Amino acid sequence: MSKYIKHVILLFVAASAGYTLHRLALSNLDLTVKFDTSGYQLVNMYLLGFISSLVVAIVIWVAERMMPSNLGSAFLVAISLKVLVFYIYIYKGLEQANHNVLKYSFMVVFFLFLLTDVWGAFKALNTSVNKH
């Protein structure tokens, strides 16, 4: 199986498991209602994370193939754009003083997908280094 398919499967498993565990944690801590009043949906956060990580992975794969010596720079640009997109999505919620649940949930989602991005870049960089 190609490493690209493995990474997409990893993203899907991370998104599915993360969403399920996150939903369970909110339910068990009786925070579901508080989160729901924030105006954001947890599923949309995970979809944004999945799609943005998929875009970052595609950027890494294209850079690995076309310009392997600039792979790190391409990763940093893609991650910077991802941070900007996430901030644009969540900035109104961050202004709400009463929604710490939203803020912490956002951080969990963001760092989960950032971890998958870093893992993908790490694998690509090691592959790139081993080829040369």
Side-chain angles (χ1 to χ4, degrees), residues 79-100:
I79 289 297
S80 298
L81 291 174
K82 179 179 177 169
V83 169
L84 182 64
V85 167
F86 262 91
Y87 179 74
I88 290 169
Y89 174 75
I90 199 74
Y91 81 95
K92 288 183 182 176
L94 295 176
E95 293 174 352
Q96 300 172 3
N98 299 355
H99 286 290
N100 285 336

Side-chain angles (χ1 to χ4, degrees), residues 23-41:
R23 200 34 106 179
L24 283 172
L26 288 174
S27 291
N28 288 339
L29 297 172
D30 294 325
L31 297 172
T32 304
V33 173
K34 194 168 188 174
F35 182 85
D36 290 341
T37 61
S38 69
Y40 289 87
Q41 293 181 342

Side-chain angles (χ1 to χ4, degrees), residues 41-120:
Q41 293 181 342
L42 192 59
V43 71
N44 289 344
M45 283 184 176
Y46 275 90
L47 279 173
L48 177 64
F50 178 79
I51 292 167
S52 63
S53 286
L54 193 58
V55 169
V56 168
I58 291 168
V59 167
I60 290 171
W61 298 333
V62 169
E64 180 183 24
R65 199 169 277 258
M66 299 183 122
M67 49 185 183
S69 61
N70 294 330
L71 185 58
S73 299
F75 173 71
L76 288 175
V77 168
I79 289 297
S80 298
L81 291 174
K82 179 179 177 169
V83 169
L84 182 64
V85 167
F86 262 91
Y87 179 74
I88 290 169
Y89 174 75
I90 199 74
Y91 81 95
K92 288 183 182 176
L94 295 176
E95 293 174 352
Q96 300 172 3
N98 299 355
H99 286 290
N100 285 336
V101 174
L102 173 66
K103 294 172 186 175
Y104 293 133
S105 291
F106 168 73
M107 294 305 292
V108 166
V109 172
F110 180 76
F111 283 115
L112 171 69
F113 287 104
L114 183 63
L115 182 65
T116 62
D117 296 336
V118 169
W119 178 254

